[in-house]
Amino acid sequence: MMGRKAVEIINVDVAKLLKQLNAAFSEEWLAYYQYWIGARVMEGPMQTEIEQELLTHATQELGHATMLVNRIIQLDGNPILSPKEWAEHARCEYQAPKDRYIEVILEQNLEGERCAIERYKEIADFTSGKDYATYEIVTKILQEEIEHEEDIENWLRDIRVMKEHFNKHRDEKRNHKKKK
């Protein structure tokens, strides 16, 4: 729990903040599992290279959950205690990797990152100049979510470029064979 002076200088609706932090906490656990299981089951081009990066992202999402639960407790709140409740509190949805193709999994993760970016922007806006500790935590998390989005966009672009070059080369070979 926070000290008296720290409580005095917070100028936000703590109940509303705790609700936002618990939602973000739930979303981080869902994101962790989405990254972790997706990395394990995905198939397709660049799978070997991307798998390790997705596992790193999963570890970072777990780190975000740790920062959030610590802040919730500091604010004398109660973190979500049951995984069954995560989906109820989360706005960012967990998407099971039913289609194991790497691009599908990356698109699902990209959607989750964009949702997380919105979540942390909202909390940062809510706490800016009012709750310095929470603001610092969520802007640190926001920066990592922005980096995750960039990583995924780059991988998707690389896969698209690779497919375009493959198709171009294949088409050139076919056309060359037809001319003979």
Side-chain angles (χ1 to χ4, degrees):
M1 195 154 123
M2 293 177 21
R4 283 184 298 164
K5 192 62 175 176
V7 171
E8 285 176 26
I9 66 169
I10 292 179
N11 189 22
V12 296
D13 178 342
V14 175
K16 183 177 179 182
L17 177 59
L18 286 168
K19 186 175 181 177
Q20 292 175 317
L21 293 175
N22 262 312
F25 172 72
S26 298
E27 291 162 356
E28 291 296 348
W29 273 106
L30 294 171
Y32 163 78
Y33 189 69
Q34 186 166 326
Y35 271 120
W36 183 84
I37 197 67
R40 299 295 184 196
V41 302
M42 73 178 170
E43 301 168 345
M46 298 174 54
Q47 180 270 335
T48 305
E49 295 84 4
I50 293 174
E51 177 183 12
Q52 290 307 310
E53 289 298 318
L54 291 184
L55 293 173
T56 298
H57 284 201
T59 300
Q60 290 170 332
E61 303 298 349
L62 192 55
H64 300 164
T66 301
M67 288 188 279
L68 292 167
V69 76
N70 289 341
R71 187 62 180 152
I72 290 166
I73 293 168
Q74 284 177 340
L75 293 168
D76 201 25
N78 295 312
I80 305 297
L81 298 176
S82 172
K84 292 178 183 177
E85 296 179 41
W86 293 338
E88 296 169 24
H89 293 273
R91 179 178 62 208
C92 304
E93 294 181 22
Y94 168 76
Q95 296 183 50
K98 293 176 185 169
D99 183 335
R100 294 179 175 202
Y101 186 60
I102 193 167
E103 283 181 287
V104 173
I105 289 174
L106 289 175
E107 288 290 350
Q108 290 173 336
N109 288 338
L110 183 59
E111 193 175 312
E113 289 301 343
R114 289 178 175 159
C115 184
I117 289 167
E118 283 298 317
R119 166 71 70 199
Y120 290 111
K121 180 192 179 304
E122 289 170 7
I123 300 173
D125 289 346
F126 184 69
T127 58
S128 179
K130 301 170 193 163
D131 175 357
Y132 302 101
T134 302
Y135 180 80
E136 183 177 329
I137 291 165
V138 299
T139 54
K140 180 180 182 349
I141 295 171
L142 177 59
Q143 180 58 41
E144 287 188 358
E145 303 294 12
I146 289 168
E147 290 171 9
H148 293 172
E149 178 192 38
E150 182 180 9
D151 289 344
I152 296 168
E153 287 176 344
N154 288 338
W155 295 326
L156 287 167
R157 185 192 67 243
D158 290 349
I159 291 169
R160 279 192 290 276
V161 167
M162 183 178 59
K163 285 169 53 177
E164 287 170 8
H165 284 291
F166 174 81
N167 289 335
K168 180 181 174 187
H169 181 69
R170 183 193 63 209
D171 292 345
E172 287 172 354
K173 278 184 115 177
R174 284 181 184 163
N175 288 337
H176 182 71
K177 285 182 181 180
K178 285 181 184 177
K179 289 180 182 178
K180 285 186 173 184

